[in-house]
Amino acid sequence: MKPLYLCSILLLAGCTPAPKYLVPAGAPHALIRSELVSMENRRNSVSLVEAPAIGCKYGRTVATSPGGQLVSVRKNVSTPEGFFPIEAGKPLHLVMRGAAKGNRSCSIAFVSEFAPGARYVIKGGIVDSPDTLSGCYIDIFNVDSGARVPKTDEPKMDRNCALDRLPTL
């Protein structure tokens, strides 16, 4: 009985949510608000997280620490509500993930930069229309100017670990 109990604890520990995103102390910040939607279904969800830190572990390039969660959306309710701080003045690598009924999922990884002291709104979420089977989209706007914040593709991973450089057979 004890091995079964121990295995269930280990399985539950593997399902812990991402840690909450925190602006580094002393860093300039902007304010951001979520208007992401997950469509009204109890099985649908959307999250916006900072991309995990990548490093060398056991000779391979892997995620060494999880990224912090900025926004979580369930039943079209964003958490946290209202404006919250985000680091500004440097490019941030963010990932939006959507999950919908029928085991459908989508993910958008991008890099954006926010101006210190500015206010932003994130719009997007899960799309379910006749044109698409399942997908998601994201747009970020400066609230004060109305300008769309540019998004660039996620950076290419620099594979500099010893085992990553070995030829594949």
Side-chain angles (χ1 to χ4, degrees), residues 18-77:
K20 185 178 188 304
Y21 171 81
L22 298 173
V23 176
H29 69 275
L31 294 176
I32 198 161
R33 181 183 77 222
S34 167
E35 290 184 9
L36 295 172
V37 294
S38 62
M39 298 188 313
E40 293 187 23
N41 185 306
R42 64 184 172 88
R43 292 189 181 116
N44 294 357
S45 65
V46 174
S47 65
L48 181 66
V49 298
E50 181 181 26
I54 303 296
C56 216
K57 191 172 184 181
Y58 308 120
R60 292 268 185 211
T61 302
V62 295
T64 55
S65 66
Q69 182 167 331
L70 282 85
V71 177
S72 173
V73 182
R74 282 198 150 320
K75 295 184 181 177
N76 285 337
V77 176

